[in-house]
Amino acid sequence: MSAYTAPLKDMKFVMRELAGLEAVAKLPGYADATPDTVDAILEEASKFASEILDPINYSGDQEGSVWKDGVVTTPKGFKQAYKQYVEGGWGALPFGPEWGGQGLPKLVATPVEEMLTASNMSFSLCPLLTQGAIHALELCGTEALKKAFLGRMIEGAWTGTMNLTEPQAGSDLALVRTKAERAGDHYLISGQKIFITYGEHDLAQNIVHLVLARTPDAPEGVKGISLFIVPKYLVKPDGTLGARNGAKCASIEHKLGIHASPTAVMVFEKAEGYLVGEENKGLSYMFIMMNSARFSVGLEGVAIADRAFQRALAYAKERLQGKDLLEGKTVPIIRHPDVRRMLMLMKSQTEAMRALAYVVAAAMDFSYKVSDKSERQKHQAFVDLMIPVVKGWSTETGIDVASLGVQVHGGMGFIEETGAAQHLRDARITTIYEGTTGIQAMDLVGRKIAREGGLTAKAWIAEVRKLDSQLNAFPSIKNNLAAGIQGVADCVEFIVAEKDPNAAFAGAVPFLRLMGIVAGGWQMARAALVSERHLSTKESIDRSFFEAKIATVRFYAEHVLVQAPALRNTVVNGATGVMALSEEQFLAV
């Protein structure tokens, strides 16, 4: 079984050449993000991922987390690995020094997060939810709550969760029934939550639950939801842990994948909770945490795709099967054209997804730190537009790539011992949690495009079109990117003008896929131009890397970007087919 190796060359290339690390490092507070420091961080993260997390990924999947009498035990090696994660300060990278963070850019934390996820997705889910909870508390918590919780959470001694879903309230949070009764300076929280990632575990001293609930006089629907901090153990005024709170784990789910990650059913029985922000504004606060999680889940798609590609590539180099078409001798399957086609699909799409995700991470840094308000708003608008694309397109593509990984293995891919099947099983949840692909697509079409008349989308379209005159040396890239961005432009006009919401939303998921493919093509075209520039100089460079990058971009243009016109037609013309049948006709035979 092959070991995970972080793709440091590509990560550094994307950070420096496409995402603009040098410009990010000039933002206020990011002076420490020097090339030497960033390289050292990535090298150490690579070692941690390869030497500590990867070796317990397969065994953790086979063993799984175990629940007994309300106590959850994680698989062998996880507790020790988490201790090393905390000692390495990995969770503190993107948070402010005032609470013990390292104050580094999101752009630097993103490849580290990719490595953790690629090497062991189940393990990475605990830090992922914790970081989302920290971000929400940073922006919306009182000073008292920040003082009580942030330092220990950023350190990693305490972990965080997000408690939204209930048995009757999945994506429709208007149906939340968990109650919050006022009790002096706190609230008593009662209710049940399901699908709570790391809702109970043995990795950390305390678990800080962020819980959506309703106060007795709250209005109906989403306008009546408040957000509360409900710790597993109460925190004394001196910061030490006190009595066990009334938050219990009733069971954990038996899942298709991510077996080592405990997904808990949580029961709150008059648990002591503390209001975050104001009453009845909990949903807006939770969306801060959810948007952070949506970006991270999109990055999971990138990570699982890269891990599946690495495993398939290693197998294809070793597996002797079939004859060479020209020489007639038995060869490794990587010599066969169709296996190479599948590997190139895996490689090119993974690199396109990584490039887009890192560019969005850099835009987040600009939206936080740029002094000019209008510039901050411009970067934030781009982030808002691209978050559903990063989440939806990257996770859907991650599943496709993981499935291709099984296919490259042939029959051995269907056997658990090769590890290929685990990547497909683990990837499958990514298009579901933190909002399904359909929800991401409706957010993209409804909130991010229709609501503002396509303003941000049109600005991005204009930016992509600036590349056209620079791509004359790469006709297939130039032509397919031009056709792709025209398809996006046509769809944006259709969405803005369409009066029937059913017609607009019927093509929402194909449109999201179109946006992802073209946004990935945009970054890949930029990568080709940068690579060409490096190859044209006399400087000492890794020529093989840049030549491979250009070949990979060409493949992406000719095998992936080429799909754009058909997707455009589906969006603009496909609503009739989607809405054609009555409910009764679905059952007609």
Side-chain angles (χ1 to χ4, degrees):
M1 188 180 291
S2 67
Y4 171 72
T5 302
L8 292 178
K9 282 185 181 180
D10 197 57
M11 288 175 163
K12 292 175 183 178
F13 171 81
V14 173
M15 292 175 73
R16 293 168 180 167
E17 303 285 5
L18 304 183
L21 177 61
E22 184 178 354
V24 169
K26 293 177 181 177
L27 292 169
Y30 288 158
D32 288 341
T34 63
D36 288 346
T37 298
V38 172
D39 284 353
I41 289 170
L42 297 188
E43 292 289 346
E44 286 304 310
S46 174
K47 292 177 185 177
F48 180 68
S50 298
E51 298 172 9
I52 306 300
L53 296 185
D54 185 57
I56 59 174
N57 184 41
Y58 177 76
S59 60
D61 175 70
Q62 296 299 300
E63 183 180 341
S65 287
V66 177
W67 177 94
K68 185 177 180 181
D69 299 328
V71 175
V72 172
T73 303
T74 53
K76 182 180 178 180
F78 270 58
K79 197 169 183 177
Q80 293 78 8
Y82 188 78
K83 182 173 183 291
Q84 290 175 269
Y85 170 85
V86 173
E87 290 171 349
W90 295 113
L93 286 180
F95 298 108
E98 63 271 25
W99 301 109
Q102 296 183 33
L104 288 164
K106 179 73 172 177
L107 178 58
V108 176
T110 295
V112 173
E113 187 175 342
E114 182 190 335
M115 293 183 222
L116 301 186
T117 305
S119 58
N120 196 320
M121 181 170 157
S122 285
F123 178 93
S124 72
L125 289 169
C126 185
L128 185 158
L129 270 299
T130 301
Q131 295 204 6
I134 291 168
H135 192 45
L137 194 53
E138 270 188 320
L139 294 179
C140 308
T142 63
E143 287 303 308
L145 288 179
K146 291 177 184 179
K147 184 177 179 181
F149 293 100
L150 274 183
R152 300 295 276 163
M153 292 174 73
I154 289 172
E155 175 192 351
W158 300 350
T159 64
T161 71
M162 181 163 55
N163 287 244
L164 288 73
T165 308
E166 298 178 6
Q168 80 294 337
S171 301
D172 188 356
L173 295 176
L175 302 177
V176 163
R177 294 176 184 165
T178 298
K179 297 178 180 179
E181 302 175 69
R182 300 179 188 88
D185 63 349
H186 61 274
Y187 293 73
L188 298 178
I189 311 298
S190 299
Q192 184 185 79
K193 299 288 184 177
I194 62 172
F195 302 158
I196 310 306
T197 300
Y198 278 91
E200 177 62 31
H201 59 80
D202 59 355
L203 303 183
Q205 302 165 354
N206 202 7
I207 303 172
V208 181
H209 302 288
L210 267 69
V211 183
L212 290 183
R214 294 183 181 280
T215 55
D217 51 357
E220 293 294 320
V222 294
K223 294 182 179 180
I225 296 174
S226 300
L227 181 63
F228 301 88
I229 282 182
V230 184
K232 176 180 177 179
Y233 289 98
L234 299 176
V235 181
K236 297 178 182 177
D238 64 359
T240 60
L241 296 182
R244 177 72 188 261
N245 205 358
K248 309 290 184 182
C249 176
S251 64
I252 59 174
E253 306 292 354
H254 301 281
K255 310 186 296 291
L256 174 67
I258 52 171
H259 293 152
S261 169
T263 303
V265 175
M266 296 298 301
V267 176
F268 299 91
E269 298 176 342
K270 294 189 179 298
E272 190 167 316
Y274 313 100
L275 181 67
V276 177
E278 301 177 31
E279 284 190 14
N280 304 325
K281 293 187 178 180
L283 192 61
S284 61
Y285 303 147
M286 186 60 82
F287 263 108
I288 295 170
M289 185 174 178
M290 191 179 293
N291 272 334
S292 171
R294 284 177 172 176
F295 176 83
S296 292
V297 173
L299 199 60
E300 288 178 3
V302 180
I304 206 75
D306 185 70
R307 187 65 186 98
F309 167 65
Q310 288 191 29
R311 192 178 298 281
L313 178 63
Y315 182 81
K317 288 179 176 180
E318 298 171 356
R319 174 63 166 168
L320 295 173
Q321 191 79 23
K323 305 290 185 180
D324 183 275
L325 295 176
L326 297 178
E327 299 177 7
K329 62 182 181 180
T330 301
V331 292
I333 62 173
I334 195 171
R335 297 281 294 275
H336 300 316
D338 192 57
V339 172
R340 286 196 168 224
R341 179 191 63 83
M342 290 188 286
L343 290 171
M344 284 297 287
L345 276 171
M346 298 173 81
K347 175 179 170 62
S348 65
Q349 291 182 104
T350 300
E351 291 182 11
M353 291 187 293
R354 176 180 296 121
L356 180 62
Y358 287 21
V359 165
V360 172
M364 290 180 183
D365 288 321
F366 283 104
S367 73
Y368 303 149
K369 296 287 189 175
V370 169
S371 57
D372 182 76
K373 182 179 179 180
S374 63
E375 280 294 300
R376 285 201 311 273
Q377 290 173 339
K378 183 182 75 173
H379 287 292
Q380 187 60 53
F382 173 74
V383 170
D384 291 342
L385 177 70
M386 287 297 168
I387 284 290
V389 179
V390 169
K391 199 283 186 185
W393 174 60
S394 298
T395 55
E396 291 284 352
T397 307
I399 292 172
D400 291 344
V401 171
S403 182
L404 280 170
V406 173
Q407 190 73 13
V408 169
H409 282 76
M412 295 304 294
F414 206 68
I415 305 301
E416 288 290 348
E417 283 78 6
T418 64
Q422 182 188 346
H423 303 319
L424 181 56
R425 290 188 288 99
D426 286 354
R428 193 61 191 86
I429 185 59
T430 60
T431 59
I432 298 172
Y433 57 21
E434 306 308 333
T436 63
T437 306
I439 289 173
Q440 305 303 319
M442 292 176 70
D443 177 47
L444 175 64
V445 167
R447 290 192 181 93
K448 308 301 169 56
I449 292 179
R451 183 176 292 181
E452 64 164 28
L455 188 65
T456 302
K458 290 175 182 178
W460 171 67
I461 289 166
E463 190 67 24
V464 176
R465 283 178 165 155
K466 290 178 183 178
L467 288 181
D468 189 74
S469 61
Q470 304 172 46
L471 291 168
N472 293 329
F474 304 108
S476 66
I477 301 170
K478 174 186 173 80
N479 295 337
N480 285 307
L481 182 60
I485 201 63
Q486 183 59 51
V488 172
D490 292 346
C491 291
V492 168
E493 294 297 338
F494 169 76
I495 290 164
V496 170
E498 182 56 56
K499 302 302 181 184
D500 179 5
N502 284 326
F505 286 132
V509 169
F511 175 68
L512 184 147
R513 179 171 172 77
L514 172 63
M515 280 278 289
I517 286 172
V518 175
W522 168 46
Q523 292 306 315
M524 292 294 269
R526 294 181 65 216
L529 292 171
V530 170
S531 298
E532 179 189 38
R533 187 177 72 243
H534 280 291
L535 289 170
S536 68
T537 66
K538 295 181 179 179
E539 62 188 75
S540 176
I541 58 171
D542 185 348
R543 297 189 67 85
S544 179
F545 173 84
F546 293 113
E547 289 167 354
K549 178 63 75 174
I550 290 173
T552 303
V553 176
R554 281 197 176 113
F555 181 92
Y556 184 90
E558 293 161 8
H559 290 256
V560 182
L561 255 180
V562 73
Q563 303 168 31
L567 286 166
R568 175 263 182 209
N569 292 339
T570 298
V571 175
V572 175
N573 303 317
T576 303
V578 170
M579 306 305 294
L581 297 185
S582 68
E583 293 175 23
E584 293 75 16
Q585 285 175 315
F586 272 102
L587 296 174
V589 293

